[in-house]
Amino acid sequence: MKPALTINDKKAKRIIFSVSALIFLLIVFLGKIHLKLDLGFDTHVFALINAVLNTCVSIVLIWALIAVKKKNIQLHKNLMLTAILLSILFLLSYVAHHLLNGDTVFGGSGTIKLIYYFILLTHIPLAGIILPFILFAAYRGLTGEYAKHKKIVRYAYPLWLYVSITGVLIYILISPYYS
């Protein structure tokens, strides 16, 4: 299969680290900004959209794994690019939700509270660090550097899948406490 991109590691590293840092900083500072806008609808719908997008990402990631195991590389590539596109849409919806609604306090207690915070406390740091690995994996795949791609994906894929699945679980657990 012909590579979709030419290899330029220096430029790719600069772009990947810049985009990753910018998005990380956006998310960090997002908690400090709350827009008081009346859009005429319940803006918690963005959280539902996030959950739907995360569900779709999880399904696409699993489908992409099946495709690559069956040696259907073109389908795998298309599915992985779809997962990235869905993740970009997720990011836009996530930013909208947090800008318009701020943070929500979990109201559960007992075992469910422990489960929620365990999921949340593993989800957040992994979501924060996974982006450059996803982008490097995509870059290595698109440039045809499959050995390097596989080395990254060995760790990035299960973490991305975990983050997408736990994102849905977090929504299910926190959504009853949206005001």
Side-chain angles (χ1 to χ4, degrees):
M1 174 176 282
K2 184 180 169 191
L5 296 174
T6 56
I7 299 171
N8 186 340
D9 284 357
K10 195 176 208 179
K11 185 177 180 182
K13 285 178 184 177
R14 190 170 50 247
I15 291 170
I16 289 168
F17 285 129
S18 296
V19 167
S20 299
L22 197 66
I23 291 172
F24 181 78
L25 290 172
L26 171 69
I27 300 303
V28 167
F29 289 112
L30 198 56
K32 299 177 185 343
I33 304 167
H34 184 201
L35 302 177
K36 303 244 187 227
L37 300 174
D38 181 8
L39 299 180
F41 61 90
D42 182 3
T43 53
H44 286 295
V45 72
F46 290 113
L48 175 60
I49 292 168
N50 294 345
V52 170
L53 289 168
N54 266 330
T55 301
C56 292
V57 168
S58 299
I59 292 166
V60 169
L61 287 174
I62 293 166
W63 189 7
L65 177 64
I66 293 166
V68 79
K69 296 265 186 206
K70 291 184 175 184
K71 308 282 191 237
N72 191 339
I73 304 305
Q74 188 59 49
L75 177 60
H76 171 75
K77 176 182 169 184
N78 292 341
L79 290 168
M80 293 310 296
L81 291 173
T82 299
I84 290 171
L85 176 63
L86 290 169
S87 294
I88 291 168
L89 294 174
F90 164 83
L91 178 64
L92 295 173
S93 180
Y94 179 87
V95 168
H97 182 252
H98 282 273
L99 280 176
L100 296 168
N101 297 295
D103 293 330
T104 300
V105 176
F106 183 74
S109 61
T111 304
I112 196 69
K113 185 174 185 176
L114 293 174
I115 292 168
Y116 173 77
Y117 280 108
F118 174 79
I119 293 170
L120 187 67
L121 293 174
T122 56
H123 173 88
I124 290 172
L126 291 174
I129 64 170
I130 193 65
L131 180 58
F133 295 99
I134 293 167
L135 296 177
F136 273 114
Y139 169 70
R140 296 299 182 200
L142 291 170
T143 56
E145 299 173 277
Y146 302 120
K148 290 180 179 179
H149 172 77
K150 286 179 184 178
K151 282 184 182 179
I152 297 167
V153 169
R154 180 176 297 130
Y155 303 101
Y157 175 86
L159 293 178
W160 189 5
L161 184 60
Y162 178 83
V163 166
S164 66
I165 291 170
T166 55
V168 177
L169 294 175
I170 289 167
Y171 169 77
I172 291 167
L173 292 168
I174 194 76
S175 63
Y177 305 104
Y178 290 147
S179 55

